[in-house]
Amino acid sequence: MSDQRKQPETPLDDHPIQALYQTTRQELPSAELDRQILALASREASRRRRRWLFPLSSAAVILLGVTLTLQLVEPPELAPESEELLLEAPDSNQRSRTSEIPHKSMSMPAPSVAKPSMEFPQDSSAKTRQAPAGFAHDAEPQNRQIQQTDRQEVRRKELLQLGRQKKDTREIDSDPQLWLEIIGQQIESGKVEAGQRALTEFRKRYPDYPLPEHLLQYVE
Amino acid sequence: MNEISDEELYRRYCKGDTQAFELVYERYRQSLYLFLLRSCNTRADAEELYQEVWSRIIATAKPFKQGSFKAYIFQIARNLKIDRFRREHLRIVADEVDMTTVQDPGKTPDGLLHDLDCSEMLKRHLVSLPHEQSEVFLLKEEAGLTLEQIATMISVGRETVKSRLRYALRQLRKLMEECL
């Protein structure tokens, strides 16, 4: 306060009057008045602190509840796009790849082609081990080319495999009943369109396998 | 804690820090009280207004983004004072003389008596000034506001504030000639 009075920006400063005025500045509010005001401030402050208490504790409880729930429930369902990839038929999968390299895949027998296409590539050596001997020789350069040109798809399938963590796709491939169960679950969960596509692919793969009644209506 | 600005202390109080309020209260305790005392009819009126100003500040307790805390509390004080005068049609008259409050151990009895007389004279002359002039004088001397802050507070131009202050000082100088 005194600093501002000394500022040269006020040419109206009259020092004798100001000095004299300072001698009049003696009075103070009574101690009782001070006590009342400080007590009021203290009451208001504690009321204000309490006002935060309830929302804060509620937020903490909700956060704790959500965290526990997330830990207890099963892993979240896969996205529809991923689900489709999982259930995609081996033939169609292979077709999409062979469109890029038709002259090699055309010579392969259907069952041999189907198996490696359902499997999610982990590394090129693993693929070679699982493929038939004759296939391995040609498949290795194919795989390299696929990995180069189709990295995103491979990555998605890897993620899908990690996310699923239930069954290996080879198991699905060789077990029509399991495949149907998964299709059924998919339809039940509301992904009817994806389920129908998967069912169509299933029918192509296993044309003679009897379908359960509840899935018959979804056959296209 | 002494280096912390008024605004920061008030912000802390708004979050529930009572100690911050005590500090800010201590800073403005006397100046606010004297501003009201010099502007009001009686000590009782000044004390009532003083309590009302702090109650308002406590109840509001909302940190402001611009402006100073000092200007804020004196603005509240001025508004409440004007409201009261309007309500009660009061006229600004001299405060009661409190002979016991002025003390300076370094002065001789004659000097003390002289100062006392001059101080009391100044207080009386101050309230005899036109309200606009005494208000500007008190806002500058007691609140320590700048001319710009005063101009903003009372909604007039800076030159008007300067002019009012000049008249107030000229008048006081003339009236207090024997003490200067």
Side-chain angles (χ1 to χ4, degrees), chain A residues 1 4-5 7 9-18 20-31 33-38 40-42 44-49 51-52, chain B residues 13-14 16 18 21-22 25 29-30 33-34 37-38 50-51 54-55 58 61 70 101-102 118-119 122-123 126 137-138 140-144 148 158 162 166 169 172-173 176 180:
Chain A
M1 216 152 56
Q4 282 175 327
R5 287 193 195 107
Q7 282 173 1
E9 63 106 26
T10 53
L12 298 163
D13 283 356
D14 191 327
H15 296 292
I17 292 288
Q18 284 169 341
L20 188 59
Y21 181 76
Q22 290 307 310
T23 65
T24 69
R25 299 185 75 246
Q26 301 293 328
E27 300 95 331
L28 283 169
S30 65
L33 202 52
D34 288 345
R35 196 193 56 74
Q36 283 177 6
I37 290 164
L38 291 175
L40 179 68
S42 180
E44 187 66 23
S46 56
R47 196 183 64 81
R48 203 163 286 131
R49 278 195 298 272
R51 198 170 54 187
W52 285 103
Chain B
Y13 171 64
C14 294
T18 315
F21 180 81
E22 285 170 11
Y25 178 76
R29 179 175 170 242
Q30 191 181 27
Y33 181 72
L34 288 176
L37 194 62
R38 302 279 179 262
Y50 178 78
Q51 196 166 14
W54 283 110
S55 301
I58 289 165
K70 187 199 291 180
T101 52
V102 181
C118 290
S119 298
L122 181 59
K123 281 197 261 184
L126 192 57
F137 178 85
L138 285 172
K140 186 170 181 299
E141 291 302 317
E142 209 53 74
E148 284 78 11
R158 187 179 183 275
K162 265 173 84 171
R166 187 177 290 121
L169 288 170
L172 286 173
R173 222 174 209 289
M176 300 295 297
L180 300 174

Side-chain angles (χ1 to χ4, degrees), chain B residues 17-168:
Chain B
D17 185 350
T18 315
Q19 207 185 351
F21 180 81
E22 285 170 11
L23 279 170
V24 86
Y25 178 76
E26 189 56 41
R27 285 183 192 177
Y28 290 100
R29 179 175 170 242
Q30 191 181 27
S31 57
L32 182 65
Y33 181 72
L34 288 176
F35 173 75
L36 292 168
L37 194 62
R38 302 279 179 262
S39 314
C40 287
N41 197 19
T42 63
R43 186 181 290 271
D45 283 342
E47 290 193 347
E48 203 177 311
L49 271 180
Y50 178 78
Q51 196 166 14
E52 212 175 326
V53 171
W54 283 110
S55 301
R56 188 72 64 92
I57 291 166
I58 289 165
T60 309
K62 212 177 265 181
F64 38 88
K65 286 175 183 167
Q66 55 182 7
S68 70
F69 180 75
K70 187 199 291 180
Y72 173 65
I73 60 167
F74 281 97
Q75 177 79 67
I76 292 175
R78 180 177 181 268
N79 291 347
L80 289 175
K81 186 188 72 179
I82 291 171
D83 286 351
R84 170 169 287 235
F85 287 158
R86 277 183 188 155
R87 220 172 31 236
E88 298 179 7
H89 306 287
L90 289 176
R91 196 171 60 84
I92 301 165
V93 294
D95 189 20
E96 306 163 287
V97 178
D98 190 348
M99 301 290 282
T100 59
T101 52
V102 181
Q103 287 171 7
D104 188 346
K107 295 279 176 83
T108 60
D110 281 350
L112 263 176
L113 192 62
H114 179 263
D115 281 357
L116 195 63
D117 290 345
C118 290
S119 298
E120 291 311 318
M121 264 172 71
L122 181 59
K123 281 197 261 184
R124 284 168 191 277
H125 290 318
L126 192 57
V127 288
S128 70
L129 289 176
H131 176 247
E132 292 79 12
Q133 292 176 20
S134 65
E135 180 182 59
V136 169
F137 178 85
L138 285 172
L139 285 171
K140 186 170 181 299
E141 291 302 317
E142 209 53 74
L145 298 175
T146 62
L147 296 181
E148 284 78 11
Q149 284 175 317
I150 297 170
T152 308
M153 184 183 288
I154 64 178
S155 306
V156 295
R158 187 179 183 275
E159 289 308 309
T160 309
V161 174
K162 265 173 84 171
S163 166
R164 285 179 187 178
L165 190 58
R166 187 177 290 121
Y167 278 119

